[in-house]
């Protein structure tokens, strides 16, 4: 077989994504910042006294709306949370704007800056939650977060924890809007600050690394994405240790397909050699992730011209798929196809014909002769029969 041709996608998973342990990185909540800090002599400048009392009442109402936004967010009512947060911000802006003796007072007040962040986060989640007005919510989120980020950088500095948190959220919104390149730029700058301030092994830095790897992949910077994800894996192994072997095994497995896609077969083989035994030990031999890790090992062996080893690996893998999923399961038939092709490459032409013919019959019975899953096996069998 011509290994220069495009091979069928070896992955059995539907969505390509890097994996951070056993769960996705958590999204920042609305309570990240401390809201409504009380400045010294907060209303000493306001006059007459009646106006001062009105302003205080409005400020209290703004804080009450914020509390309602927080409660709604915690209940999962993100659209309602976003509305309360916007109302709170609008009221606070009207209270603080034009305060005597303070230029542009609302824009520099800590509560205003923090509420911008809350509006950004709640609007982002409202966008994810709602089918209607999705674009509007995302625009609300980006507008609030970008203004918040500018103010945070000016008043708290690039290395402040709130600035870092806001920059990460901006990158998420940009990614959701389909602006992967811009998200990668913002996220990369933020990650550099986190590595310098928090260190490479901090949990937030590790989360940000894998987020950045995914964004780079979406932006078309696939080699850079895989390199960063490999660096993340090495750090994760050092931080988690043997006690978290299942998380490490899943993270390793999540890197196999990206390595295949960027044609880094040597690195893929080395990682798969480690991943398959670890998956078998930390999970179980019949676990879908462990089975796929063994299959991917055979894929890399095949592309590295180690045909006999690839064939033998697929032979064992095929038996394990049969036992775990059944003779005619799609994944079993996929591995059978690969075993037939590898048998031909290893010099076993008769064996390859028999395996591919049986595989073709099973595929046609299961999916129909015209199904897209059938064509690769039909073409492989035709080539074997001609040679």
């Amino acid at each position: 077989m011509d290994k220069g041709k495009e091979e069928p996608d070896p992955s059995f998973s539907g969505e390509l994504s890097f994996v951070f342990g056993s769960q996705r990185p958590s999204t920042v909540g609305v309570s990240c910042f401390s809201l409504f800090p009380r400045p010294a002599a907060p209303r000493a400048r306001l006059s007459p006294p009646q106006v001062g009392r009105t302003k205080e009442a409005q400020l209290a109402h703004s804080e009450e709306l914020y509390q309602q936004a927080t409660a709604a967010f915690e209940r999962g009512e993100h659209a309602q949370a976003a509305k309360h947060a916007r109302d709170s911000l609008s009221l606070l802006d009207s209270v603080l704007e034009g305060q005597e003796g303070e230029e542009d007072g609302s824009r520099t007040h800590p509560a205003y800056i923090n509420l911008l962040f809350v509006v950004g986060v709640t609007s982002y989640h409202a966008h994810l939650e709602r089918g209607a007005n999705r674009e509007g919510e995302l625009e609300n989120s980006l507008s609030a977060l970008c203004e918040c980020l500018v103010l945070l950088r000016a008043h708290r500095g690039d290395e402040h924890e709130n600035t870092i948190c806001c920059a990460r959220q901006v990158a998420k919104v940009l990614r959701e809007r389909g602006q992967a390149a811009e998200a990668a730029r913002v996220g990369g700058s933020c990650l550099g600050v986190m590595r310098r301030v928090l260190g490479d092994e901090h949990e937030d830095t590790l989360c940000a690394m894998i987020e950045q790897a995914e964004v780079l992949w979406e932006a078309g910077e696939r080699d850079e994405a895989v390199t960063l994800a490999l660096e993340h894996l090495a750090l994760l192994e050092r931080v988690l240790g043997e006690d978290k072997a299942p998380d490490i095994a899943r993270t390793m497995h999540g890197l196999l397909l990206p390595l295949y896609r960027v044609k880094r077969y040597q690195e893929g083989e080395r990682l798969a050699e480690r991943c398959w035994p670890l998956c078998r030990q930390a999970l179980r031999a019949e676990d879908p992730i462990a089975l796929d890790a063994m299959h991917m090992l055979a894929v890399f062996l095949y592309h590295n011209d180690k045909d006999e080893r690839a064939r033998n690996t697929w032979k064992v893998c095929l038996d394990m798929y049969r036992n775990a999923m059944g003779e005619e399961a799609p994944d079993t038939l996929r591995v059978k196809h690969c075993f037939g092709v590898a048998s031909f490459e290893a010099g076993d032409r008769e064996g390859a014909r028999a395996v591919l013919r049986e595989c073709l019959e099973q595929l046609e019975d299961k999916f129909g002769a015209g199904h897209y899953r059938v064509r690769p096996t039909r073409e492989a069998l035709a080539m074997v029969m001609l040679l």
Side-chain angles (χ1 to χ4, degrees):
M1 295 292 175
D2 181 2
K3 294 182 184 180
K5 292 184 178 180
E6 186 70 20
E7 291 294 321
D9 188 341
S11 171
F12 299 151
S13 58
E15 180 182 357
L16 178 66
S17 64
F18 300 98
V19 178
F20 178 74
S22 59
Q23 58 186 4
R24 303 298 303 138
S26 60
T27 302
V28 146
V30 297
S31 59
C32 174
F33 295 168
S34 175
L35 295 185
F36 295 93
R38 299 292 190 240
R43 295 293 170 257
R45 305 188 204 117
L46 296 179
S47 61
Q50 178 63 37
V51 175
R53 286 195 294 272
T54 301
K55 296 288 187 181
E56 290 293 348
Q58 289 177 322
L59 184 61
H61 187 204
S62 178
E63 183 168 5
E64 180 183 356
L65 286 168
Y66 160 70
Q67 298 295 343
Q68 293 175 9
T70 301
F73 188 87
E74 291 174 350
R75 293 194 303 270
E77 299 171 1
H78 300 137
Q80 190 65 31
K83 180 182 182 303
H84 287 319
R86 285 194 292 270
D87 290 345
S88 176
L89 178 65
S90 177
L91 182 56
L92 181 67
D93 190 20
S94 68
V95 170
L96 299 176
E97 189 174 19
Q99 194 166 289
E100 183 182 351
E102 185 175 335
E103 183 180 354
D104 197 17
S106 65
R107 298 305 193 272
T108 59
H109 195 286
Y112 178 85
I113 296 174
N114 296 346
L115 259 175
L116 279 171
F117 177 80
V118 175
V119 169
V121 172
T122 54
S123 297
Y124 171 75
H125 283 272
H127 161 79
L128 298 179
E129 176 186 60
R130 299 176 64 185
N133 301 321
R134 288 170 57 86
E135 184 177 352
E137 293 287 12
L138 204 56
E139 292 303 319
N140 289 338
S141 176
L142 185 61
S143 175
L145 288 170
C146 285
E147 183 182 355
C148 181
L149 185 58
V150 170
L151 292 170
L152 285 170
R153 284 173 171 165
H155 297 286
R156 303 183 193 178
D158 287 341
E159 297 184 356
H160 192 279
E161 61 181 344
N162 291 355
T163 309
I164 293 171
C165 185
C166 186
R168 285 183 68 189
Q169 196 66 33
V170 169
K172 288 182 181 180
V173 175
L174 288 168
R175 181 183 181 186
E176 181 67 19
R177 293 180 83 237
Q179 297 175 253
E182 187 66 14
R185 185 188 66 79
V186 175
S189 175
C190 181
L191 178 59
V193 174
M194 294 177 73
R195 298 183 79 162
R196 183 172 67 252
V197 174
L198 301 177
D200 286 346
E201 297 182 3
H202 192 279
E203 181 180 5
D204 290 342
T205 305
L206 291 171
C207 286
M209 285 181 75
I210 211 62
E211 289 172 358
Q212 181 67 5
E214 291 184 348
V215 171
L216 285 169
W217 185 276
E218 292 176 11
E221 304 292 336
R222 295 192 165 188
D223 265 315
E224 291 83 351
V226 170
T227 298
L228 182 60
L230 286 169
E231 186 179 2
H232 166 266
L233 172 62
L235 289 167
L236 197 66
E237 288 184 88
R238 189 159 69 236
V239 170
L240 296 184
E242 295 182 359
D243 292 341
K244 297 292 185 179
D247 287 345
I248 294 172
R250 294 185 182 97
T251 304
M252 279 187 182
H253 174 261
L255 261 169
L256 295 178
L257 183 58
L259 282 165
Y260 171 82
R261 292 279 178 85
V262 297
K263 302 184 187 303
R264 288 163 65 166
Y265 302 135
Q266 296 288 345
E267 292 172 274
E269 180 185 336
R270 289 194 294 270
L271 187 62
E273 290 273 19
R274 296 174 53 213
C275 183
W276 152 239
L278 182 61
C279 287
R280 182 177 55 185
Q281 175 186 355
L283 305 172
R284 53 187 176 84
E286 299 80 14
D287 187 279
I289 290 178
L291 292 172
D292 189 51
M294 190 179 190
H295 164 67
M296 289 301 300
L297 172 58
V299 168
F300 289 122
L301 290 169
Y302 175 81
H303 282 280
N304 289 330
D305 295 321
K306 300 177 181 179
D307 298 324
E308 188 61 36
R309 279 197 63 197
R311 175 182 180 275
N312 292 338
T313 303
W314 264 317
K315 183 178 181 180
V316 175
C317 189
L318 179 57
D319 289 338
M320 296 184 70
Y321 267 102
R322 282 169 171 158
N323 293 334
M325 299 186 178
E327 177 67 37
E328 297 186 355
D331 292 349
T332 304
L333 296 176
R334 188 71 168 277
V335 172
K336 181 180 286 188
H337 165 91
C338 294
F339 174 56
V341 172
S343 296
F344 177 82
E345 295 288 352
D348 183 9
R349 297 191 176 187
E350 291 301 321
R353 291 189 186 102
V355 171
L356 289 171
R357 186 179 291 112
E358 181 182 62
C359 184
L360 180 60
E361 292 174 356
Q362 291 173 315
L363 284 167
E364 288 180 340
D365 288 344
K366 188 172 187 65
F367 298 108
H371 197 275
Y372 74 93
R373 292 176 180 265
V374 177
R375 187 177 66 181
T377 304
R378 182 185 294 115
E379 292 176 352
L381 178 59
M383 189 173 293
V384 169
M385 297 297 291
L386 288 173
L387 298 176

